[in-house]
Amino acid sequence: MRIEAYNQVAALYKSSKTTKTQGAQGVASGRDEVQISSFGRDYQIAKQAVAEVPDIREDKVSELKTSIQSGNYSVDSGDFASMLLEKYNAAHF
């Protein structure tokens, strides 16, 4: 590493600190204002809607419980194996 390059960078940081304090002197006092874009508002509404939805879909759970208890639930081993390999490959490659 070249030492003179480090000195130049250090000199830039020292000079930027003094310009920041000089630039803040002429700031007019007043009220701060925040404006949220329409995308931001839409995001907040969507986030709130998702937060209100339960994590567990009881209708699906009860349907699966009923089919398992009655013995009508079956899993195709070929589909299971392909999905397992797909998830494994996605995680490791």
Side-chain angles (χ1 to χ4, degrees):
M1 179 175 142
R2 291 186 353 220
I3 295 175
E4 56 272 353
Y6 174 77
N7 291 336
Q8 291 172 350
V9 170
L12 286 174
Y13 279 112
K14 289 179 186 175
S15 66
S16 67
K17 289 181 182 179
T18 58
T19 57
K20 285 182 183 178
T21 56
Q22 290 171 353
Q25 291 175 353
V27 175
S29 64
R31 227 175 55 181
D32 289 339
E33 187 175 314
V34 175
Q35 293 181 352
I36 299 174
S37 67
S38 62
F39 177 76
R41 282 190 294 267
D42 292 344
Y43 177 76
Q44 287 176 341
I45 291 169
K47 186 176 176 182
Q48 183 180 4
V50 168
E52 292 173 358
V53 175
D55 290 338
I56 299 172
R57 294 178 55 190
E58 294 295 332
D59 57 332
K60 293 289 186 182
V61 171
S62 65
E63 182 181 319
L64 285 171
K65 277 185 181 181
T66 304
S67 63
I68 290 170
Q69 289 172 350
S70 67
N72 295 330
Y73 184 76
S74 64
V75 177
D76 183 18
S77 59
D79 288 342
F80 177 75
S82 64
M83 291 296 289
L84 187 64
L85 287 173
E86 183 179 314
K87 295 289 183 182
Y88 176 78
N89 288 333
H92 292 288
F93 298 105

